[in-house]
Amino acid sequence: RFFFDNDADLAIMNGKTLAVIGYGNQGRSQALNLADNGFKVIIGGQSDATLEQAVADGFAVMNVTEAVKQADAVFVLIPDEIMPRVYDEQIAPFMLAEQMIIFASGYNVYYGFIVPDPALDVVLLAPRMIGKGVRDRFVSGQGYPALISVQQDGSGQAWPRLLSLAKGIGATKMGALASSFEEETILDLFNEQAMCGIQLWAFRMAFDVLISYGLSPSAILLELYASGEPEQIAAAYSELGIWDQLKLHSRTSQFGQLSRARLGAGPELKAHMTRVVDELRDGSFAREWACEQRVGFPGLHRLQTLVAEHESYRAEKRLYDIMKKNTEQ
Ligand code: NAI
């Protein structure tokens, strides 16, 4: 079910101390939204430019452990790959029974890289929005969707407390959907690995095919994405729906998309999607990624090199240089 502003009571967590650990994409936006809603927010982190920003924004700033000790609820908003170590060393030893810990991603808890004490309230409050949007859409009053879940209810009050905080960051304005750590993790990674990512490789494959027919690299890239048209189309997906936005295209385009493109999304793509979900559910992707992190990301670096050495990457750099030069004039 969806939870809206009317289902949540800011007063439940008002007067409590909320520690936001990490002042990056999500941390800054969520902290500012909570503060605007009258919550007492402190920031825990390591000394770097983001922490200086927190000071400039007027927050009390301290190291992670100190913030955890002072807090009733702890938002863990640091990168997922760093989180387990920080959690084990600087957060977990200082958490008390019934204290609440809030994650914006299900990843570490779902895969068991973080195992919270059973006496804690452990909840998911995951905006389906980049950090900038979490702030901008709070300020504009537009809101944004979020997935929420209670994994552990040490206090017996985890749901009303979570809803209070969800409203505090602006996540119940458009509707916060009850989900689970598992569902959030699988969906988030599936979207990256089977949808967004596949588009990148489809662009590259299209480049290779069209180049082999003698078409110009710049014209190809402009047609595929460099014009900025795809972002207009993506905006229409969320405003009108994926099928109704077809009305914005010519009838020739509609017929082509409904007939030819349908054939491209065939059994191979379905097999890929199924494999992606299977590897997320059986933990093999998470194990591979944990191993990558331990040995210094050799696989990631190899793939980055593979991409950078391709002709489409060089053509993109040349095109963007020309386009940028033109806009600077
Ligand atoms: P980020 O990369 O912006 O986090 C940077 C912050 O973490 C900085 O303030 C940095 O000082 C701090 N940090 C890094 N290492 C640290 C350490 N060892 N000790 C203390 N602080 C440290 O993180 P982001 O992107 O905001 O992600 C935070 C959480 O939100 C993650 O769980 C992510 O999956 C989730 N999320 C992120 C979204 C996004 O738009 N980026 C969208 C939805 C959820």
Side-chain angles (χ1 to χ4, degrees):
R1 76 168 264 210
F2 279 95
F3 292 90
F4 296 95
D5 280 352
N6 284 343
D7 301 308
D9 183 1
L10 288 174
I12 289 172
M13 293 303 280
N14 216 320
K16 308 276 187 203
T17 302
L18 311 180
V20 172
I21 308 300
Y23 202 70
N25 296 312
Q26 289 292 326
R28 178 167 193 247
S29 294
Q30 294 195 26
L32 289 170
N33 294 359
L34 289 165
D36 282 359
N37 267 323
F39 287 103
K40 182 176 176 212
V41 180
I42 57 175
I43 308 298
Q46 58 181 10
S47 50
D48 61 14
T50 63
L51 227 55
E52 282 168 26
Q53 180 66 53
V55 174
D57 289 341
F59 287 108
V61 166
M62 58 208 78
N63 67 40
V64 173
T65 297
E66 191 51 42
V68 170
K69 283 183 182 167
Q70 292 187 21
D72 298 289
V74 179
F75 290 74
V76 192
L77 296 173
I78 58 178
D80 288 323
E81 60 268 27
I82 289 162
M83 206 182 281
R85 191 170 44 81
V86 173
Y87 183 81
D88 286 343
E89 292 171 5
Q90 299 172 58
I91 298 178
F94 308 97
M95 296 285 293
L96 300 173
E98 301 192 11
Q99 218 174 347
M100 173 170 266
I101 185 137
I102 302 111
F103 294 96
S105 143
Y107 191 93
N108 283 305
V109 171
Y110 173 59
Y111 285 120
F113 297 126
I114 288 178
V115 184
D117 188 287
L120 300 176
D121 282 358
V122 180
V123 301
L124 178 74
L125 175 46
R128 296 293 84 191
M129 184 56 61
I130 57 168
K132 186 177 176 331
V134 166
R135 181 61 182 161
D136 291 350
R137 285 161 167 250
F138 175 85
V139 172
S140 72
Q142 189 184 0
Y144 53 86
L147 297 184
I148 57 173
S149 173
V150 171
Q151 174 91 357
Q152 286 180 197
D153 191 355
S155 69
Q157 293 298 311
W159 266 109
R161 291 165 115 198
L162 167 59
L163 289 172
S164 178
L165 297 177
K167 185 171 183 175
I169 68 162
T172 47
K173 178 113 194 168
M174 188 176 268
L177 178 63
S179 179
S180 66
F181 278 64
E182 175 179 3
E183 186 172 71
E184 192 278 337
T185 304
I186 303 279
L187 286 175
D188 189 47
L189 296 174
F190 178 86
N191 197 31
E192 290 162 4
Q193 297 176 19
M195 304 300 294
C196 304
I198 206 130
Q199 206 178 5
L200 302 179
W201 291 99
F203 282 145
R204 197 173 107 151
M205 190 183 283
F207 182 89
D208 285 340
V209 169
L210 295 167
I211 279 280
S212 75
Y213 283 87
L215 281 73
S216 112
S218 292
I220 294 170
L221 296 177
L222 282 169
E223 181 60 41
L224 291 177
Y225 58 85
S227 65
E229 193 186 18
E231 74 196 51
Q232 309 266 334
I233 295 173
Y237 288 174
S238 66
E239 277 156 28
L240 304 173
I242 58 168
W243 301 116
D244 282 352
Q245 63 81 32
L246 282 173
K247 291 180 204 141
L248 303 178
H249 305 253
S250 70
R251 265 198 293 204
T252 312
S253 166
Q254 290 181 36
F255 181 66
Q257 293 192 53
L258 291 172
S259 62
R260 296 304 183 277
R262 184 182 180 203
L263 302 175
E268 269 189 43
L269 186 56
K270 189 168 184 185
H272 169 72
M273 289 179 172
T274 307
R275 197 167 50 240
V276 165
V277 182
D278 288 345
E279 289 188 355
L280 295 175
R281 284 169 52 92
D282 70 16
S284 43
F285 170 78
R287 278 193 298 278
E288 183 183 330
W289 181 225
C291 182
E292 266 287 302
Q293 292 165 48
R294 271 197 302 277
V295 293
F297 306 103
L300 177 63
H301 293 149
R302 209 166 39 245
L303 287 162
Q304 286 167 335
T305 307
L306 186 79
V307 166
E309 283 174 349
H310 193 259
E311 177 50 27
S312 64
Y313 185 85
R314 288 191 286 271
E316 182 188 277
K317 289 277 159 283
R318 283 195 298 273
L319 174 66
Y320 282 22
D321 269 353
I322 294 166
M323 289 167 75
K324 192 156 166 281
K325 267 190 215 119
N326 205 29
T327 50
E328 276 169 0
Q329 275 166 11

